[in-house]
Amino acid sequence: MEQMEPGLDPEDWDAYRAVAHQLLDRCIDQLAAAADHPWRAVPPDIRQGYALSGAGAGEAATAERITRDILPYGTGNTHPGFFGWVHGTGLASGILSEMAAATINANSGGRDHGAIYLERAVIDWAKGIFGFPAQASGLLLAGTSQATVVALAVARTKVLGQSVRAQGHGEHRLTAYAGAGVHNAARKAMELLGIGSHNLRLVPDGAQGIDMARLEAAIAEDRADGAVPFAIIGTAGSVDLGRFDALNALADLAAREAIWLHIDGAFGAWTRLADAPWRALSDGIERADSLACDFHKWMYVPYDCGMVLIRDEADHRAAFASRPAYLAGQEAGLGGGEPWYCDYGIDLSRGNRALKVWTAIETYGEARLGAAISANCRLAQYMADRVADAPLMQLMAPVISNLCVFTANAGLPATAQSRLNTRIAQQLQMDGVAVFSTTVIDGVTCLRAAITNHRTRQADVARAIDGVREAAVAG
Ligand SMILES: *Cc1c(COP(=O)(O)O)cnc(C)c1O
């Protein structure tokens, strides 16, 4: 029968319920057996099968496709031998929160509803963890890359005033400063904001992070040259080596020079939850004017979720608030709920990222999350010990937190080492043994493990290092 008002809900909710329960079971089965599910390349026929016919197959057939053709072909970052790049590993709590989030389908741009209060709760919790003051504000967003854009936009508005929003930079040449190991996200943010990545000064590292004397000299030089230094970007956990700038020293200098201090703590900020000695790495983070970090890396929350915190809500609002008439707030009703998150960032429509973060913290608590972070640091040291025990391998940088960088055969010339390490990384990925990524130290492409994986045990690390040794010999 032709329906006059054809909605999209299931025609038979009982049948839908059976399909959904079955898929949920498959999801739980897969996560419970995460060790059996390393990364696997998507076979060409399956990949081609993703092409949409547009015909509409219904819930049951589509759920079957998800089970057969989609669930097996993830990034593999739920596997205990995954140490590549800096990937979070997901949480069982995420299955629950994502299901509830899809049911509610909240738009968290603003208004008066549950997701808004959850996000406030998450931001308030984070303010406490990072020692930010009561008047600080924050926003959940896709990740640290977006958080950096938002933070630097606030810093720019602070130094040039709100007129920059209408008039742009005019004659002003803004400059920012960061250590040489700063993440590419800072460069991208400078480009996007129209400041230009040339105006991000990269200061060489000293004994601990940025060389402070050279930083001070660079600022003085730019000021003498008529530039407007507007932000110092400190790094808490560099992506290559897990290095931490001396955040208190940076905060002292930023205060003396009256320059905004932004900290990229994408993963390293969470050493705040770890035991000694790792916790001390992020001492001083509470003095930042803005902080960017990720829940999807070292808090293990499912992708994607990052956060920006701004020390003073008034600065945050000054850079972003602007609402046309159709979005005007109300005193009561759904149009209430001030402040609205659309006044703190780029997006108007936003999903319910807060729920998966809230659920994770409510489920596991600070102590268990912190214990997982400390355990990851111990495992990085354990990996370094295994490397030191292996005859040909060599550690290429000290282990500071959760990163271990090494070469499989230090006896070879640099180019041969690079070739070998690159080949080993690929082979172990293809074999489903372990996922290392690579980075270049002193001209040598090295194997790099970033352990942000709560499923990793000593045996997984030992197996991965054995795999490297065997692959090196086989080559
Ligand atoms: C991952 C990372 C970023 C970028 O964060 P995304 O969440 O991927 O956007 C920035 N800085 C550091 C140190 C990182 O590790």
Side-chain angles (χ1 to χ4, degrees):
M1 189 182 71
E2 188 77 8
Q3 284 185 332
M4 292 295 285
E5 295 168 316
L8 296 170
D9 276 336
E11 281 166 25
D12 178 346
W13 280 102
D14 286 334
Y16 173 82
R17 187 185 307 275
V19 165
H21 277 261
Q22 194 176 30
L23 182 57
L24 177 61
D25 276 337
R26 300 285 180 84
C27 291
I28 294 170
D29 289 346
Q30 177 160 320
L31 204 57
D36 301 332
H37 295 276
W39 172 81
R40 280 201 280 158
V42 189
D45 58 321
I46 302 240
R47 215 188 311 166
Q48 278 151 22
Y50 291 163
L52 287 159
S53 77
E59 289 96 358
T62 306
E64 190 50 41
R65 290 290 308 282
I66 292 173
T67 302
R68 196 183 62 226
D69 297 343
I70 295 175
L71 270 179
Y73 304 107
T75 318
N77 53 338
T78 50
H79 185 271
F82 191 102
F83 318 122
W85 303 278
V86 186
H87 275 40
T89 40
L91 295 165
S93 70
I95 297 180
L96 307 183
S97 53
E98 294 287 81
M99 195 166 61
T103 305
I104 303 165
N105 191 33
N107 179 343
S108 305
R111 306 176 188 85
D112 191 342
H113 54 95
I116 297 299
Y117 295 103
L118 283 180
E119 188 154 344
R120 295 225 181 111
V122 167
I123 298 293
D124 283 346
W125 175 83
K127 281 158 64 174
I129 295 297
F130 294 118
F132 269 52
Q135 79 270 21
S137 52
L139 177 75
L140 299 181
L141 18 66
T144 291
S145 301
Q146 272 196 19
T148 307
V149 175
V150 169
L152 293 187
V154 176
R156 157 178 79 178
T157 310
K158 180 80 173 172
V159 76
L160 293 184
Q162 260 191 311
S163 65
V164 70
R165 292 178 56 174
Q167 279 148 26
H169 300 150
E171 300 292 294
H172 300 292
R173 187 166 61 83
L174 297 169
T175 50
Y177 306 82
V182 72
H183 193 277
N184 196 43
R187 219 166 278 121
K188 262 197 198 168
M190 293 287 281
E191 291 168 4
L192 272 169
L193 290 167
I195 302 168
S197 47
H198 270 318
N199 291 315
L200 176 63
R201 305 261 179 267
L202 296 183
V203 181
D205 277 341
Q208 194 200 343
I210 301 185
D211 182 322
M212 298 303 296
R214 293 173 84 157
L215 171 58
E216 206 163 350
I219 293 169
E221 204 173 291
D222 284 331
R223 282 204 207 278
D225 209 31
V228 182
F230 85 107
I232 296 170
I233 303 172
T235 296
S238 72
V239 70
D240 252 6
L241 299 172
R243 297 194 76 178
F244 286 70
D245 287 326
L247 302 181
N248 272 311
L250 277 186
D252 289 341
L253 178 66
R256 248 187 350 261
E257 297 277 353
I259 299 178
W260 186 275
L261 176 61
H262 173 70
I263 293 179
D264 177 347
F267 63 96
W270 297 109
T271 52
R272 286 284 90 189
L273 293 180
D275 300 333
W278 304 291
R279 185 178 200 277
L281 292 168
S282 49
D283 281 356
I285 206 164
E286 69 282 357
R287 297 173 64 192
D289 293 299
S290 56
L291 169 67
C293 63
D294 283 322
F295 285 99
H296 59 214
K297 286 178 178 168
W298 222 0
M299 285 289 277
Y300 317 106
V301 169
Y303 285 95
D304 51 20
C305 188
M307 174 179 67
V308 64
L309 290 183
I310 305 289
R311 179 164 215 85
D312 187 338
E313 194 265 353
D315 293 336
H316 199 170
R317 183 173 284 277
F320 284 100
S322 66
R323 261 192 261 163
Y326 88 98
L327 293 174
Q330 299 165 196
E331 268 179 34
L334 179 57
E338 297 282 353
W340 287 18
Y341 284 106
C342 63
D343 287 332
Y344 286 156
I346 302 160
D347 298 318
L348 173 57
S349 300
R350 315 166 56 242
N352 190 351
R353 290 197 179 98
L355 178 55
K356 60 191 172 188
V357 180
W358 185 92
T359 303
I361 298 166
E362 183 69 5
T363 301
Y364 306 105
E366 291 164 24
R368 277 182 78 188
L369 288 163
I373 291 167
S374 298
N376 287 163
C377 294
R378 281 189 198 97
L379 285 171
Q381 188 53 55
Y382 175 74
M383 184 180 282
D385 294 343
R386 301 283 316 198
V387 166
D389 288 345
L392 300 174
M393 294 186 204
Q394 186 178 303
L395 202 62
M396 294 295 276
V399 173
I400 298 165
S401 51
N402 60 323
L403 266 106
C404 180
V405 181
F406 62 98
T407 182
N409 187 343
L412 299 174
T415 48
Q417 279 188 62
S418 295
R419 259 201 314 275
L420 177 67
N421 290 328
T422 304
R423 181 179 64 69
I424 291 173
Q426 285 175 14
Q427 187 182 323
L428 295 187
Q429 289 170 19
M430 312 277 268
D431 292 348
V433 174
V435 174
F436 290 93
S437 54
T438 59
T439 192
V440 178
I441 308 278
D442 297 334
V444 177
T445 302
C446 301
L447 291 161
R448 171 182 167 285
I451 307 183
T452 44
N453 190 335
H454 63 88
R455 296 192 184 92
T456 305
R457 302 287 174 267
Q458 278 198 356
D460 300 301
V461 172
R463 196 174 308 117
I465 295 297
D466 287 347
V468 171
R469 204 186 48 237
E470 283 158 23
V473 172

